[in-house]
Amino acid sequence: MPLSGDFYLTKVPILDDHQRIFGYFLSIKNREDEPVSVNELADLLVNVNLEKIAGSYPVFLKVNNEVIKHDILDYIPAEKTVLLLSTDDLTDEDVQLIKELKNVGFRFAFEYGGDLGRISEIFDYIFTDVNQIDSDIYQHRDKVILTGIFSTEEFKQLLNEGFRYFKGDFIFKPSTIVEKKIDPSKLAVMELFTKVRENFNPPQIEEIIKRNPDLSISLLKYVNSAAFSFRSKITSIRHAISILGQRNLLQWLLLFLYRAGSDSSYAETLLEVSAERGKTLEILAQKLNLSDEEVEKSFLVGILSLVDKLIGISPEELIKELNLDEEIVKAIVEKEGILGKLLNIVEKTEEGKIADIADVISSLGLNLNDVMSAQLQAFAWFEEVNIV
């Protein structure tokens, strides 16, 4: 079934105290602060495979209290979903029903309203803004998911206070960038990227990759992943290089760049978001019938749009290191050109502010259905690709 014209969702990672992805907060349309109705939830379940967009992670969905009384719950994977409810208008009947649903595997989160009394026996998680932390929240901090964080410094302070879960949209803010020297392992990957892009010489590339066991293992896992579905398994580096070709090899190198030195803060989250951005841009570029070169650049724009936060250098410096052209820099930094407009669309959709760029979408001859379909395909693609 095709997506309805005004259907789209945002997917924000929830991080744990190890700065890794714990789950995802999904919101439908431009209404993050409003709960999902039964009809909207039905639209979501028809169009979205939660396994495809979240993998093994739980999904947090803010829903109306009416949802827990509806047979639509029969179509929700209890093991995958945490239903986020408001304590407003929560009746004794609702509380009893929630207890029964918990017995069959459902989990529930609540928005903090200043009192845990009525929900003390039924909540699995509590969502609250950092400005609402009080003695009750502090006492249950191992079950609290904090929102409203604006900087890495604030995040680290809350970590030190014993909080475990955090809505992770703060890591994309500019304040999280700290200038630092490029890690040697990342620099080696960047140099290999440049070699592959400027002179695709498979035997030479094979020798470089074989000298690095991590690269070799990652390449074989990548090419043998479900994303490619080759008839026979790839067992050698040379075979992998030849069957992938230059374009896919470049994509793999950029994805690996995010994983090189995985002790970096938020590396896993940045990898996923940037990879999904790149794939979404690539699909939209193909939808616009752009040239093969522009389609290749679109993926680069998406994945490079967050690499500065991982490596700690500006996009301009990074592009210089990778010897890429000015069009990519302008697309990332200034949102100029078609690729810049596509990146702007994807970023605003992630933020739940798609209304801000409705005119941009229309000017490119696209619609919300195109954008959402591309994102869902990108989510599914990432779950099929092994990048380690």
Side-chain angles (χ1 to χ4, degrees):
M1 176 180 292
L3 298 169
S4 58
D6 61 352
F7 181 95
Y8 73 93
L9 57 81
T10 60
K11 186 177 85 164
V12 178
I14 294 174
L15 306 180
D16 64 15
D17 50 353
H18 297 292
Q19 306 175 24
R20 295 186 178 278
I21 296 173
F22 169 71
Y24 294 100
F25 182 88
L26 292 188
S27 60
I28 301 176
K29 302 181 181 177
N30 193 19
R31 309 190 318 136
E32 184 174 334
D33 293 328
E34 296 182 31
V36 172
S37 67
V38 171
N39 289 338
E40 290 171 327
L41 184 55
D43 199 6
L44 174 69
L45 294 175
V46 165
N47 289 296
V48 176
N49 183 332
L50 295 181
E51 295 284 350
K52 289 290 188 180
I53 68 171
S56 60
Y57 301 109
V59 167
F60 290 77
L61 268 175
K62 185 175 180 178
V63 298
N64 279 331
N65 288 3
E66 66 183 273
V67 168
I68 65 173
K69 306 168 188 175
H70 199 280
D71 58 10
I72 196 170
L73 289 184
D74 294 339
Y75 302 94
I76 295 177
E79 72 283 357
K80 288 288 304 179
T81 313
V82 183
L83 299 177
L84 172 59
L85 303 174
S86 171
T87 55
D88 296 339
D89 303 321
L90 191 70
T91 66
D92 292 340
E93 179 187 359
D94 292 337
V95 172
Q96 182 57 40
L97 182 54
I98 288 170
K99 289 180 179 179
E100 294 172 7
L101 290 169
K102 284 175 66 68
N103 287 334
V104 296
F106 280 96
R107 289 173 292 173
F108 292 87
F110 292 87
E111 293 180 318
Y112 186 51
D115 180 18
L116 294 177
R118 296 195 63 221
I119 59 172
S120 60
E121 296 181 358
I122 58 174
F123 76 84
D124 294 284
Y125 303 97
I126 293 291
F127 276 76
T128 190
D129 188 273
V130 291
N131 295 319
Q132 291 182 300
I133 295 175
D134 58 19
S135 57
D136 278 345
I137 289 296
Y138 198 79
Q139 182 181 351
H140 296 281
R141 58 192 182 277
D142 60 329
K143 295 183 177 181
V144 169
I145 298 174
L146 290 175
T147 64
I149 301 169
F150 288 98
S151 69
T152 298
E153 293 70 31
E154 187 176 16
F155 167 71
K156 290 180 178 178
Q157 179 182 340
L158 292 165
L159 268 180
N160 291 334
E161 293 178 14
F163 288 96
R164 293 185 58 191
Y165 304 112
F166 313 84
K167 194 175 176 188
D169 42 358
F170 70 93
I171 68 174
F172 308 128
K173 293 179 171 62
S175 60
T176 64
I177 303 174
V178 178
E179 292 290 328
K180 55 189 176 184
K181 292 183 178 179
I182 302 177
D183 183 272
S185 62
K186 293 183 174 68
L187 191 58
V189 176
M190 291 163 66
E191 290 173 350
L192 180 56
F193 175 91
T194 302
K195 285 183 181 294
V196 173
R197 193 164 192 267
E198 292 180 345
N199 180 25
F200 185 58
N201 185 324
Q204 184 182 63
I205 295 167
E206 177 191 15
E207 287 305 311
I208 296 173
I209 292 176
K210 287 171 71 174
R211 288 199 295 267
N212 189 322
D214 288 345
L215 276 173
S216 299
I217 294 169
S218 177
L219 177 61
L220 291 175
K221 286 189 174 183
Y222 180 70
V223 75
N224 283 320
S225 69
F228 294 103
S229 301
F230 295 126
R231 290 183 179 179
S232 59
K233 292 295 182 181
I234 311 302
T235 56
S236 72
I237 299 301
R238 179 168 296 187
H239 189 194
I241 293 170
S242 62
I243 202 166
L244 277 179
Q246 184 181 30
R247 180 172 160 189
N248 285 322
L249 196 61
L250 288 171
Q251 290 188 1
W252 162 70
L253 282 168
L254 285 179
L255 293 170
F256 186 85
L257 180 62
Y258 276 81
R259 277 287 167 89
S262 58
D263 57 331
S264 300
S265 299
Y266 326 120
E268 179 187 22
T269 307
L270 292 171
L271 164 66
E272 175 157 350
V273 174
S274 64
E276 290 172 351
R277 279 186 183 184
K279 197 64 177 179
T280 302
L281 262 68
E282 180 183 83
I283 293 168
L284 290 174
Q286 291 170 335
K287 177 75 176 178
L288 293 174
N289 294 316
L290 299 185
S291 67
D292 289 345
E293 182 181 2
E294 291 297 292
V295 170
E296 177 190 324
K297 287 182 182 179
S298 67
F299 185 90
L300 300 184
V301 167
I303 200 164
L304 292 175
S305 64
L306 288 172
V307 77
D308 56 331
K309 294 171 178 58
L310 178 71
I311 297 180
I313 63 175
S314 69
E316 294 92 337
E317 291 179 88
L318 178 69
I319 271 81
K320 195 178 297 181
E321 290 281 351
L322 297 178
N323 196 29
L324 300 178
D325 59 51
E326 193 68 19
E327 180 185 6
I328 294 176
V329 182
K330 288 184 176 180
I332 295 172
V333 178
E334 302 171 22
K335 304 297 185 291
E336 286 189 0
I338 292 180
L339 301 185
K341 289 179 180 179
L342 290 178
L343 177 60
N344 192 27
I345 289 170
V346 172
E347 290 180 345
K348 291 298 183 183
T349 304
E350 289 172 355
E351 296 170 12
K353 297 178 179 178
I354 203 165
D356 294 351
I357 38 83
D359 291 344
V360 179
I361 294 174
S362 179
S363 71
L364 293 176
L366 300 171
N367 55 46
L368 288 178
N369 184 81
D370 297 324
V371 176
M372 192 66 252
S373 294
Q375 281 201 307
L376 292 178
Q377 290 178 61
F379 294 160
W381 167 81
F382 184 81
E383 289 303 323
E384 291 177 346
V385 175
N386 292 318
I387 310 162
V388 293

